[in-house]
Amino acid sequence: MSTSIGRHITLRGTCNLRDLGGYPVAGGNSLGWRRVLRSDSLHDLDAQGMASLIDSGVASIVDLRDTAELERQPNPFSTHRAVRYTHIPLFSNLDLQTRLRIAQAEGDVLLALYCDVLMNRQSALSDALRAIADARPGGVLFHCTVGKDRTGVLAALVLAAVGASAEDIIADYALSAARIGSIRERMMADFLTGGADAASLLPLFLSNPATMRGMLDYLDRQYGGINAYLRLLDKDLTLCEKLRTRMLC
């Protein structure tokens, strides 16, 4: 595992592991490094990779995948004594047929998916934000399978909650494009084995800046902005402050 402080973290067994630190926020502050990480699935980590994450300070894992994904690719930290493992399925029943239906829709299919999640999965989003905010001392890592969609929506909310700009939220989302080639190839092979049309599925692997900008525009139109939306999720009005305390230098 690369020990230098930087956005992307090289760790065998992951492709899209990176830090949410370093972004400037209101008041002239910046987000601390190695406080909150985002990643693709961790199921390919070996013992050395797991030890590297723990040695780097990771003390909590938030797994956003659904139950079927966990059964196929168990999380190696789910019973590990050194970390607190929390499972919060952020997309409900995102099986192959659901992916195919989304992929066959017109327009920006990922934007439609993200807006659906923001509208219909508010309880899960609140739980995921709370799991990060209330995590034990040390670093928190949240992840899904590719580290782009479920992780991307949650990362956008986390960054907004602590005062990052829309431009940085969009830029952070777009970073996945250069990291997920090997994941895309593996998943496409699985989809093809299941009889899926490859061309229709390719849009699911994009992370265009316009998609995240569209999500933020949707929050403006539907809820009065991302901060107003966060207040819907923050029932006791402590969530955002706890996230700021955890992430600010």
Side-chain angles (χ1 to χ4, degrees):
M1 179 174 177
S2 174
T3 56
S4 60
I5 297 297
R7 179 82 46 220
H8 291 293
I9 301 171
T10 302
L11 180 65
R12 189 174 64 181
T14 66
C15 299
N16 197 16
L17 171 61
R18 62 184 187 265
D19 200 317
L20 290 183
Y23 291 116
V25 294
N29 296 312
S30 60
L31 300 181
W33 294 103
R34 301 302 185 258
R35 311 288 180 82
V36 178
L37 309 179
R38 53 176 292 174
S39 182
D40 55 310
S41 181
L42 306 178
H43 68 278
D44 280 334
L45 288 180
D46 57 17
Q48 182 178 356
M50 295 171 66
S52 293
L53 278 180
I54 294 170
D55 290 345
S56 74
V58 171
S60 301
I61 301 287
V62 182
D63 192 334
L64 305 176
R65 299 176 300 158
D66 63 33
T67 302
E69 289 172 296
L70 264 65
E71 291 174 351
R72 290 193 303 270
Q73 299 172 332
N75 194 306
F77 287 104
S78 61
T79 58
H80 201 291
R81 294 182 179 181
V83 302
R84 175 184 293 167
Y85 172 81
T86 305
H87 175 219
I88 302 172
L90 196 53
F91 287 3
S92 180
N93 300 320
L94 192 63
D95 57 16
L96 177 58
Q97 293 305 314
T98 304
R99 294 172 192 262
L100 288 171
R101 177 178 55 78
I102 294 167
Q104 291 164 356
E106 295 184 358
D108 188 331
V109 297
L110 290 176
L111 174 58
L113 175 62
Y114 300 167
C115 293
D116 183 73
V117 170
L118 291 167
M119 181 183 299
N120 296 313
R121 299 292 290 163
Q122 292 178 14
S123 178
L125 285 167
S126 179
D127 288 346
L129 289 168
R130 184 71 60 186
I132 298 169
D134 291 338
R136 62 173 61 174
V140 184
L141 185 154
F142 62 93
H143 76 93
C144 56
T145 294
V146 181
K148 178 179 73 72
D149 300 314
R150 288 164 284 194
T151 298
V153 171
L154 184 59
L157 295 178
V158 169
L159 289 172
V162 298
S165 69
E167 289 72 21
D168 284 334
I169 291 170
I170 293 166
D172 186 81
Y173 169 78
L175 289 174
S176 288
R179 313 296 297 187
I180 64 170
S182 61
I183 304 174
R184 180 178 61 245
E185 292 175 7
R186 182 175 68 245
M187 293 183 69
M188 286 294 288
D190 291 342
F191 290 151
L192 290 172
T193 300
D197 174 61
S200 68
L201 288 167
L202 284 174
L204 295 179
F205 294 96
L206 298 175
S207 56
N208 291 331
T211 298
M212 182 52 64
R213 186 171 296 280
M215 191 189 95
L216 299 180
D217 289 344
Y218 167 80
L219 287 170
D220 286 340
R221 295 191 308 271
Q222 193 73 17
Y223 298 97
I226 194 168
N227 290 318
Y229 181 79
L230 283 164
R231 287 193 289 272
L232 289 178
L233 305 183
D234 187 8
K235 302 302 183 183
D236 59 6
L237 304 179
T238 64
L239 180 57
C240 291
E241 188 56 40
K242 286 182 177 180
L243 287 169
R244 292 187 190 102
T245 298
R246 174 170 292 277
M247 295 188 68
L248 287 177
C249 291

Coordinates of all heavy atoms in Angstrom, one line a residue, residues 165-245:
S165 N -16.9 22.4 -2.3 CA -17.6 23.1 -3.4 C -18.3 22.1 -4.4 O -17.8 20.9 -4.5 CB -16.7 24.0 -4.2 OG -15.7 23.2 -4.9
A166 N -19.2 22.5 -5.1 CA -19.8 21.7 -6.2 C -18.8 21.2 -7.2 O -18.8 20.1 -7.7 CB -21.0 22.4 -6.8
E167 N -17.9 22.1 -7.5 CA -16.9 21.8 -8.5 C -16.0 20.6 -8.0 O -15.6 19.7 -8.8 CB -16.0 23.0 -8.8 CG -16.7 24.1 -9.6 CD -17.7 24.9 -8.8 OE1 -17.7 24.8 -7.5 OE2 -18.6 25.5 -9.4
D168 N -15.6 20.6 -6.7 CA -14.8 19.5 -6.2 C -15.6 18.3 -6.1 O -15.1 17.2 -6.3 CB -14.2 19.9 -4.8 CG -13.0 20.9 -5.0 OD1 -12.4 20.9 -6.1 OD2 -12.8 21.7 -4.1
I169 N -16.9 18.4 -5.7 CA -17.7 17.2 -5.7 C -17.8 16.5 -7.1 O -17.7 15.3 -7.2 CB -19.1 17.5 -5.2 CG1 -19.1 18.0 -3.7 CG2 -20.1 16.4 -5.4 CD1 -20.4 18.6 -3.2
I170 N -18.0 17.3 -8.1 CA -18.1 16.8 -9.5 C -16.8 16.2 -9.9 O -16.7 15.1 -10.5 CB -18.5 18.0 -10.4 CG1 -20.0 18.4 -10.1 CG2 -18.4 17.5 -11.9 CD1 -20.4 19.7 -10.7
A171 N -15.7 16.9 -9.6 CA -14.3 16.4 -10.0 C -14.0 15.1 -9.3 O -13.4 14.2 -9.9 CB -13.3 17.5 -9.7
D172 N -14.4 15.0 -8.0 CA -14.1 13.8 -7.3 C -14.9 12.6 -7.9 O -14.3 11.5 -8.1 CB -14.5 13.9 -5.8 CG -14.0 12.7 -5.0 OD1 -12.9 12.6 -4.7 OD2 -14.9 11.8 -4.8
Y173 N -16.1 12.8 -8.3 CA -16.9 11.8 -8.9 C -16.2 11.3 -10.2 O -16.2 10.1 -10.5 CB -18.3 12.3 -9.2 CG -19.1 11.4 -10.1 CD1 -19.8 10.3 -9.6 CD2 -19.3 11.8 -11.4 CE1 -20.5 9.5 -10.4 CE2 -20.1 10.9 -12.3 CZ -20.7 9.8 -11.7 OH -21.5 9.0 -12.6
A174 N -15.8 12.3 -11.0 CA -15.2 11.9 -12.3 C -13.9 11.2 -12.3 O -13.5 10.5 -13.3 CB -15.0 13.2 -13.1
L175 N -13.2 11.2 -11.1 CA -11.9 10.5 -11.0 C -12.1 9.0 -11.3 O -11.1 8.3 -11.6 CB -11.3 10.7 -9.7 CG -10.8 12.1 -9.4 CD1 -10.3 12.3 -8.0 CD2 -9.6 12.4 -10.4
S176 N -13.2 8.4 -11.1 CA -13.4 6.9 -11.2 C -13.1 6.5 -12.7 O -12.8 5.3 -12.9 CB -14.8 6.5 -10.8 OG -14.9 6.6 -9.4
A177 N -13.3 7.4 -13.6 CA -13.2 7.0 -15.0 C -11.9 6.3 -15.4 O -11.9 5.4 -16.2 CB -13.5 8.2 -15.9
A178 N -10.8 6.8 -14.8 CA -9.5 6.3 -15.1 C -9.1 5.1 -14.2 O -8.0 4.6 -14.4 CB -8.5 7.5 -14.9
R179 N -10.0 4.7 -13.3 CA -9.6 3.7 -12.4 C -10.2 2.3 -12.5 O -9.8 1.3 -11.9 CB -9.8 4.2 -10.9 CG -9.4 5.6 -10.6 CD -7.9 5.7 -10.7 NE -7.2 4.9 -9.7 CZ -5.8 5.0 -9.5 NH1 -5.1 5.8 -10.2 NH2 -5.3 4.2 -8.6
I180 N -11.3 2.2 -13.3 CA -12.2 1.1 -13.2 C -12.1 0.2 -14.4 O -13.0 -0.7 -14.6 CB -13.6 1.5 -12.9 CG1 -14.2 2.3 -14.1 CG2 -13.7 2.3 -11.6 CD1 -15.7 2.5 -14.0
G181 N -11.1 0.3 -15.2 CA -11.0 -0.5 -16.5 C -11.1 -2.0 -16.2 O -11.8 -2.7 -16.9
S182 N -10.3 -2.5 -15.2 CA -10.3 -3.9 -15.0 C -11.6 -4.4 -14.4 O -12.0 -5.5 -14.7 CB -9.1 -4.2 -14.1 OG -9.2 -3.6 -12.8
I183 N -12.2 -3.6 -13.6 CA -13.5 -3.9 -13.0 C -14.5 -4.0 -14.1 O -15.3 -5.0 -14.2 CB -14.0 -2.9 -12.0 CG1 -13.0 -2.8 -10.8 CG2 -15.3 -3.4 -11.4 CD1 -13.3 -1.7 -9.9
R184 N -14.5 -3.1 -15.0 CA -15.5 -3.1 -16.2 C -15.3 -4.3 -17.0 O -16.3 -5.0 -17.4 CB -15.2 -1.8 -17.0 CG -16.2 -1.7 -18.2 CD -16.0 -0.5 -19.0 NE -14.6 -0.4 -19.5 CZ -13.7 0.5 -19.2 NH1 -14.0 1.4 -18.3 NH2 -12.5 0.5 -19.7
E185 N -14.1 -4.7 -17.3 CA -13.9 -5.9 -18.1 C -14.4 -7.1 -17.4 O -15.0 -8.0 -18.1 CB -12.4 -6.0 -18.4 CG -11.8 -4.9 -19.3 CD -10.3 -5.0 -19.5 OE1 -9.7 -6.0 -19.0 OE2 -9.7 -4.1 -20.1
R186 N -14.1 -7.3 -16.1 CA -14.6 -8.4 -15.4 C -16.1 -8.5 -15.4 O -16.7 -9.6 -15.6 CB -14.0 -8.4 -14.0 CG -14.4 -9.7 -13.2 CD -13.7 -9.7 -11.9 NE -14.1 -8.6 -11.0 CZ -13.4 -7.6 -10.5 NH1 -12.1 -7.5 -10.9 NH2 -13.8 -6.7 -9.7
M187 N -16.7 -7.4 -15.1 CA -18.2 -7.4 -14.9 C -18.9 -7.5 -16.3 O -19.9 -8.2 -16.4 CB -18.7 -6.1 -14.3 CG -18.2 -6.0 -12.8 SD -18.8 -4.5 -12.0 CE -20.6 -4.8 -11.9
M188 N -18.3 -6.9 -17.3 CA -18.9 -7.1 -18.7 C -18.9 -8.6 -19.1 O -19.8 -9.1 -19.7 CB -18.1 -6.3 -19.7 CG -18.4 -4.8 -19.6 SD -20.1 -4.4 -20.0 CE -20.0 -4.6 -21.8
A189 N -17.8 -9.3 -18.7 CA -17.7 -10.7 -19.0 C -18.8 -11.5 -18.3 O -19.4 -12.4 -18.9 CB -16.3 -11.3 -18.6
D190 N -19.1 -11.1 -17.1 CA -20.1 -11.8 -16.3 C -21.5 -11.5 -16.9 O -22.3 -12.4 -17.0 CB -20.1 -11.3 -14.9 CG -18.9 -11.8 -14.1 OD1 -18.3 -12.8 -14.5 OD2 -18.6 -11.2 -13.0
F191 N -21.7 -10.2 -17.3 CA -23.0 -9.9 -18.0 C -23.2 -10.6 -19.3 O -24.3 -11.1 -19.6 CB -23.0 -8.3 -18.2 CG -23.1 -7.5 -17.0 CD1 -22.6 -6.2 -16.9 CD2 -23.8 -8.0 -15.8 CE1 -22.7 -5.5 -15.8 CE2 -23.9 -7.2 -14.7 CZ -23.4 -6.0 -14.7
L192 N -22.1 -10.7 -20.1 CA -22.2 -11.4 -21.3 C -22.6 -12.9 -21.1 O -23.3 -13.5 -21.9 CB -20.9 -11.2 -22.1 CG -20.7 -9.8 -22.7 CD1 -19.3 -9.7 -23.3 CD2 -21.7 -9.4 -23.7
T193 N -22.0 -13.5 -20.1 CA -22.3 -14.9 -19.8 C -23.7 -15.0 -19.4 O -24.4 -16.0 -19.7 CB -21.4 -15.3 -18.6 OG1 -20.0 -15.2 -18.9 CG2 -21.7 -16.8 -18.2
G194 N -24.3 -14.0 -18.8 CA -25.7 -14.0 -18.5 C -26.7 -13.6 -19.6 O -27.9 -13.5 -19.5
G195 N -26.1 -13.4 -20.8 CA -26.9 -13.1 -22.0 C -27.2 -11.7 -22.2 O -28.1 -11.3 -23.0
A196 N -26.5 -10.8 -21.6 CA -26.8 -9.3 -21.7 C -26.1 -8.8 -23.0 O -25.2 -9.4 -23.5 CB -26.2 -8.6 -20.5
D197 N -26.7 -7.7 -23.5 CA -26.1 -7.0 -24.6 C -25.1 -6.0 -24.1 O -25.4 -5.1 -23.4 CB -27.2 -6.3 -25.4 CG -26.7 -5.4 -26.5 OD1 -26.1 -5.9 -27.4 OD2 -26.8 -4.2 -26.4
A198 N -23.8 -6.2 -24.6 CA -22.7 -5.4 -24.1 C -22.9 -3.9 -24.3 O -22.6 -3.1 -23.5 CB -21.4 -5.9 -24.7
A199 N -23.3 -3.6 -25.5 CA -23.4 -2.2 -25.9 C -24.4 -1.4 -24.9 O -24.1 -0.3 -24.6 CB -23.9 -2.0 -27.3
S200 N -25.4 -2.1 -24.5 CA -26.4 -1.4 -23.7 C -25.9 -1.2 -22.3 O -26.5 -0.4 -21.5 CB -27.7 -2.2 -23.7 OG -27.6 -3.5 -23.0
L201 N -24.9 -2.0 -21.9 CA -24.4 -1.9 -20.5 C -23.3 -0.9 -20.3 O -23.0 -0.5 -19.2 CB -24.0 -3.3 -20.0 CG -25.1 -4.3 -19.7 CD1 -24.6 -5.7 -19.6 CD2 -25.9 -3.9 -18.5
L202 N -22.6 -0.6 -21.4 CA -21.5 0.3 -21.3 C -21.8 1.6 -20.6 O -20.9 2.1 -19.8 CB -20.9 0.6 -22.7 CG -20.1 -0.6 -23.3 CD1 -19.7 -0.3 -24.7 CD2 -18.8 -0.9 -22.5
P203 N -22.9 2.2 -20.8 CA -23.2 3.5 -20.1 C -23.2 3.4 -18.6 O -23.0 4.4 -17.9 CB -24.6 3.9 -20.6 CG -24.7 3.3 -21.9 CD -24.0 2.0 -21.8
L204 N -23.4 2.2 -18.1 CA -23.4 2.0 -16.6 C -22.0 2.2 -16.0 O -21.8 2.3 -14.8 CB -23.9 0.6 -16.3 CG -25.3 0.3 -16.6 CD1 -25.7 -1.1 -16.2 CD2 -26.3 1.3 -15.9
F205 N -20.9 2.2 -16.8 CA -19.6 2.3 -16.3 C -19.0 3.7 -16.5 O -17.8 3.9 -16.3 CB -18.7 1.2 -17.0 CG -19.0 -0.2 -16.7 CD1 -19.9 -0.9 -17.5 CD2 -18.6 -0.8 -15.5 CE1 -20.2 -2.2 -17.2 CE2 -19.0 -2.1 -15.1 CZ -19.8 -2.8 -16.0
L206 N -19.8 4.6 -16.9 CA -19.3 6.0 -17.1 C -19.3 6.7 -15.8 O -20.0 6.4 -14.8 CB -20.2 6.7 -18.1 CG -20.2 6.2 -19.5 CD1 -21.3 6.9 -20.4 CD2 -18.9 6.2 -20.2
S207 N -18.5 7.8 -15.7 CA -18.6 8.7 -14.6 C -18.3 10.1 -15.1 O -17.4 10.8 -14.7 CB -17.6 8.3 -13.5 OG -16.2 8.2 -14.0
N208 N -19.2 10.5 -16.0 CA -19.1 11.8 -16.6 C -19.4 12.9 -15.6 O -20.3 12.8 -14.9 CB -20.0 11.9 -17.8 CG -19.6 11.1 -19.0 OD1 -18.4 10.8 -19.1 ND2 -20.6 10.6 -19.7
P209 N -18.6 14.0 -15.6 CA -18.9 15.2 -14.8 C -20.3 15.6 -14.9 O -21.0 16.1 -13.9 CB -17.9 16.2 -15.2 CG -16.7 15.4 -15.8 CD -17.4 14.2 -16.4
A210 N -20.9 15.6 -16.2 CA -22.2 16.1 -16.4 C -23.3 15.3 -15.6 O -24.3 15.9 -15.2 CB -22.5 16.0 -17.9
T211 N -23.0 14.0 -15.3 CA -23.9 13.2 -14.5 C -24.0 13.8 -13.1 O -25.1 13.9 -12.5 CB -23.5 11.8 -14.5 OG1 -23.5 11.3 -15.9 CG2 -24.4 10.9 -13.7
M212 N -22.9 14.0 -12.5 CA -22.9 14.5 -11.1 C -23.5 16.0 -11.1 O -24.2 16.3 -10.1 CB -21.5 14.5 -10.5 CG -21.4 14.9 -9.0 SD -22.7 14.2 -7.9 CE -22.1 12.4 -7.9
R213 N -23.1 16.7 -12.1 CA -23.7 18.1 -12.1 C -25.2 18.0 -12.3 O -26.0 18.8 -11.6 CB -23.1 18.9 -13.3 CG -23.6 20.3 -13.3 CD -22.8 21.2 -14.3 NE -21.4 21.3 -14.0 CZ -20.9 22.1 -13.1 NH1 -21.7 22.9 -12.4 NH2 -19.6 22.1 -12.9
G214 N -25.7 17.0 -13.1 CA -27.1 16.8 -13.2 C -27.8 16.4 -11.9 O -28.9 16.9 -11.6
M215 N -27.1 15.6 -11.1 CA -27.6 15.2 -9.8 C -27.7 16.4 -8.8 O -28.7 16.6 -8.1 CB -26.7 14.2 -9.1 CG -27.3 13.5 -7.9 SD -26.2 12.4 -7.0 CE -25.6 13.6 -5.7
L216 N -26.7 17.3 -8.9 CA -26.8 18.5 -8.0 C -27.9 19.4 -8.5 O -28.6 20.0 -7.7 CB -25.4 19.2 -8.0 CG -24.2 18.4 -7.5 CD1 -22.9 19.2 -7.6 CD2 -24.5 17.9 -6.1
D217 N -28.0 19.5 -9.8 CA -29.1 20.3 -10.3 C -30.5 19.8 -9.9 O -31.4 20.5 -9.6 CB -29.1 20.4 -11.9 CG -27.9 21.2 -12.4 OD1 -27.3 22.0 -11.6 OD2 -27.5 21.1 -13.6
Y218 N -30.6 18.4 -9.9 CA -31.9 17.8 -9.5 C -32.1 18.2 -8.0 O -33.3 18.5 -7.7 CB -31.7 16.3 -9.6 CG -32.8 15.5 -8.9 CD1 -34.1 15.4 -9.5 CD2 -32.6 14.9 -7.7 CE1 -35.1 14.7 -8.8 CE2 -33.5 14.2 -7.0 CZ -34.8 14.1 -7.6 OH -35.8 13.4 -6.9
L219 N -31.1 18.1 -7.2 CA -31.3 18.5 -5.8 C -31.7 20.0 -5.6 O -32.5 20.3 -4.7 CB -30.0 18.2 -5.0 CG -29.7 16.7 -4.7 CD1 -28.3 16.6 -4.2 CD2 -30.7 16.1 -3.8
D220 N -31.2 20.8 -6.5 CA -31.6 22.2 -6.5 C -33.1 22.4 -6.8 O -33.8 23.0 -6.1 CB -30.8 23.0 -7.5 CG -29.4 23.3 -7.0 OD1 -29.1 23.2 -5.8 OD2 -28.5 23.6 -7.8
R221 N -33.5 21.7 -7.8 CA -34.9 21.8 -8.3 C -35.9 21.1 -7.3 O -36.9 21.7 -7.0 CB -35.1 21.2 -9.7 CG -34.3 21.8 -10.8 CD -34.8 21.3 -12.2 NE -34.7 19.8 -12.2 CZ -33.7 19.1 -12.6 NH1 -32.5 19.7 -12.9 NH2 -33.7 17.8 -12.6
Q222 N -35.5 20.0 -6.9 CA -36.5 19.1 -6.1 C -36.5 19.5 -4.6 O -37.5 19.4 -4.0 CB -36.1 17.7 -6.3 CG -37.2 16.7 -5.9 CD -38.4 16.6 -6.8 OE1 -38.3 17.1 -7.9 NE2 -39.5 16.1 -6.3
Y223 N -35.3 19.9 -4.1 CA -35.2 20.0 -2.6 C -34.7 21.3 -2.2 O -34.6 21.6 -1.0 CB -34.3 18.9 -2.1 CG -34.9 17.5 -2.3 CD1 -34.4 16.7 -3.4 CD2 -35.8 16.9 -1.4 CE1 -34.9 15.5 -3.6 CE2 -36.3 15.7 -1.7 CZ -35.8 14.9 -2.7 OH -36.3 13.7 -2.9
G224 N -34.3 22.2 -3.1 CA -33.8 23.5 -2.7 C -32.3 23.4 -2.5 O -31.7 24.3 -1.9
G225 N -31.6 22.4 -3.0 CA -30.2 22.3 -2.9 C -29.7 21.2 -2.1 O -30.5 20.6 -1.3
I226 N -28.5 20.8 -2.2 CA -27.9 19.7 -1.5 C -27.9 19.9 0.0 O -28.1 18.9 0.8 CB -26.5 19.3 -2.1 CG1 -26.1 17.9 -1.6 CG2 -25.5 20.3 -1.7 CD1 -24.9 17.3 -2.3
N227 N -27.7 21.1 0.4 CA -27.7 21.3 1.9 C -29.1 21.2 2.5 O -29.2 20.7 3.6 CB -27.1 22.7 2.2 CG -25.6 22.8 1.9 OD1 -24.9 21.9 2.2 ND2 -25.2 23.9 1.2
A228 N -30.1 21.7 1.7 CA -31.5 21.5 2.2 C -31.8 20.0 2.2 O -32.5 19.5 3.1 CB -32.4 22.2 1.3
Y229 N -31.3 19.2 1.2 CA -31.5 17.8 1.2 C -30.9 17.1 2.4 O -31.4 16.2 3.1 CB -31.0 17.2 -0.1 CG -31.2 15.7 -0.2 CD1 -32.5 15.2 -0.5 CD2 -30.2 14.8 0.0 CE1 -32.7 13.8 -0.7 CE2 -30.4 13.4 -0.1 CZ -31.6 12.9 -0.4 OH -31.8 11.6 -0.5
L230 N -29.7 17.5 2.7 CA -29.0 17.0 3.9 C -29.7 17.2 5.2 O -29.7 16.4 6.1 CB -27.6 17.6 4.0 CG -26.5 17.0 3.0 CD1 -25.3 17.9 2.9 CD2 -26.1 15.6 3.4
R231 N -30.4 18.4 5.3 CA -31.2 18.6 6.5 C -32.4 17.6 6.6 O -32.8 17.3 7.7 CB -31.7 20.1 6.5 CG -30.6 21.1 6.8 CD -31.2 22.5 7.1 NE -31.7 23.1 5.9 CZ -31.0 23.8 5.0 NH1 -29.7 24.0 5.2 NH2 -31.6 24.4 4.0
L232 N -32.9 17.1 5.5 CA -33.9 16.1 5.5 C -33.4 14.8 6.1 O -34.1 14.1 6.8 CB -34.4 15.8 4.1 CG -35.3 16.9 3.4 CD1 -35.7 16.4 2.0 CD2 -36.6 17.1 4.3
L233 N -32.1 14.5 5.9 CA -31.5 13.3 6.4 C -31.0 13.5 7.8 O -30.8 12.4 8.5 CB -30.3 12.9 5.5 CG -30.6 12.8 4.0 CD1 -29.3 12.3 3.2 CD2 -31.8 11.8 3.7
D234 N -30.8 14.7 8.2 CA -30.2 15.0 9.5 C -31.3 15.3 10.5 O -31.5 16.5 10.9 CB -29.2 16.1 9.4 CG -28.4 16.4 10.6 OD1 -28.5 15.6 11.6 OD2 -27.6 17.4 10.6
K235 N -32.0 14.3 11.0 CA -33.2 14.5 11.8 C -32.9 15.2 13.1 O -33.6 16.0 13.6 CB -33.9 13.2 12.1 CG -34.3 12.5 10.8 CD -35.2 13.3 9.9 CE -35.7 12.5 8.7 NZ -36.5 13.3 7.8
D236 N -31.7 14.9 13.7 CA -31.4 15.5 15.0 C -30.4 16.7 14.9 O -29.9 17.2 15.9 CB -30.9 14.5 16.0 CG -29.6 13.8 15.5 OD1 -29.1 14.2 14.5 OD2 -29.2 12.9 16.2
L237 N -30.1 17.1 13.7 CA -29.3 18.3 13.4 C -27.9 18.2 14.0 O -27.3 19.2 14.3 CB -30.0 19.6 13.9 CG -31.4 19.8 13.4 CD1 -32.0 21.1 14.0 CD2 -31.5 19.9 11.9
T238 N -27.4 17.0 14.1 CA -26.0 16.8 14.5 C -25.1 16.1 13.5 O -23.9 16.1 13.6 CB -26.0 15.9 15.8 OG1 -26.4 14.6 15.5 CG2 -26.8 16.5 16.9
L239 N -25.7 15.6 12.5 CA -25.0 14.8 11.5 C -23.9 15.5 10.8 O -22.7 15.1 10.8 CB -26.0 14.2 10.5 CG -25.4 13.3 9.4 CD1 -24.6 12.1 10.0 CD2 -26.5 12.7 8.5
C240 N -24.2 16.7 10.2 CA -23.3 17.4 9.5 C -22.1 17.9 10.3 O -21.0 17.9 9.9 CB -23.9 18.6 8.7 SG -25.0 18.1 7.4
E241 N -22.5 18.4 11.5 CA -21.4 18.8 12.5 C -20.5 17.7 12.8 O -19.2 17.9 12.9 CB -22.0 19.5 13.7 CG -21.0 20.2 14.6 CD -20.3 21.2 13.9 OE1 -20.8 22.0 13.1 OE2 -19.0 21.3 14.1
K242 N -21.0 16.5 13.1 CA -20.1 15.4 13.4 C -19.2 15.0 12.2 O -18.0 14.7 12.4 CB -21.0 14.2 13.7 CG -21.6 14.3 15.1 CD -22.4 13.0 15.4 CE -23.0 13.0 16.8 NZ -23.8 11.8 17.1
L243 N -19.7 15.1 11.0 CA -18.9 14.9 9.8 C -17.8 15.9 9.7 O -16.7 15.6 9.4 CB -19.8 14.8 8.6 CG -20.7 13.6 8.4 CD1 -21.7 13.8 7.2 CD2 -19.8 12.4 8.1
R244 N -18.1 17.2 10.0 CA -17.1 18.2 9.9 C -16.0 18.0 10.9 O -14.8 18.1 10.7 CB -17.8 19.6 10.1 CG -18.7 20.0 9.0 CD -19.1 21.5 9.2 NE -20.2 21.8 8.3 CZ -21.5 21.8 8.6 NH1 -21.9 21.6 9.8 NH2 -22.4 22.2 7.6
T245 N -16.4 17.6 12.1 CA -15.5 17.3 13.2 C -14.5 16.2 12.8 O -13.3 16.2 13.0 CB -16.2 17.0 14.5 OG1 -17.0 18.1 14.9 CG2 -15.2 16.7 15.6

